[in-house]
Amino acid sequence: MPKGYWVSVYRNISDPEKLAAYNKLAPLAVKAAGGRVLTRGSRVVAHEAGIAERTVLIEFDSFEQAVAAHESEAYQEALAALSDGVERDFRIVEGID
């Protein structure tokens, strides 16, 4: 079964306090949903139209699990804390195998 991934690339962090509040809640929600953080805020080299800003990659056992984690009450609470504190490109993608 193909794995599922959250890919989040931050374009702008306008409110570090909101991001900090999100960072307290989101990891707990991700872990509870079976997610594994592969990279978070590590070094980035951007090419083409990319932005060398904070990038997060989280792996789930399936695409369906990744979608369900995003829709979970715990993660929705984290999103409410984040609110408009950042601008980011967030995607849920299915792995190849």
Side-chain angles (χ1 to χ4, degrees):
M1 174 183 295
K3 293 185 180 184
Y5 297 89
W6 286 7
V7 182
S8 184
V9 178
Y10 289 67
R11 293 185 176 139
N12 181 41
I13 299 171
S14 59
D15 191 331
E17 289 181 12
K18 287 183 179 178
L19 179 58
Y22 169 84
N23 284 340
K24 287 181 182 176
L25 299 171
L28 300 173
V30 166
K31 186 174 182 178
R36 295 169 298 283
V37 177
L38 300 180
T39 186
R40 179 182 60 227
S42 302
R43 298 186 321 167
V44 175
V45 174
H47 295 280
E48 299 174 25
I51 298 171
E53 191 53 81
R54 178 183 175 89
T55 301
V56 180
L57 179 62
I58 300 174
E59 179 182 64
F60 293 87
D61 289 335
S62 70
F63 179 79
E64 291 75 17
Q65 186 181 21
V67 171
H70 186 271
E71 295 172 357
S72 73
E73 184 177 329
Y75 189 70
Q76 291 303 307
E77 183 181 336
L79 283 178
L82 182 60
S83 182
D84 61 352
V86 302
E87 178 186 353
R88 65 184 184 163
D89 180 350
F90 182 95
R91 299 168 189 234
I92 300 174
V93 298
E94 184 175 48
I96 296 173
D97 51 14

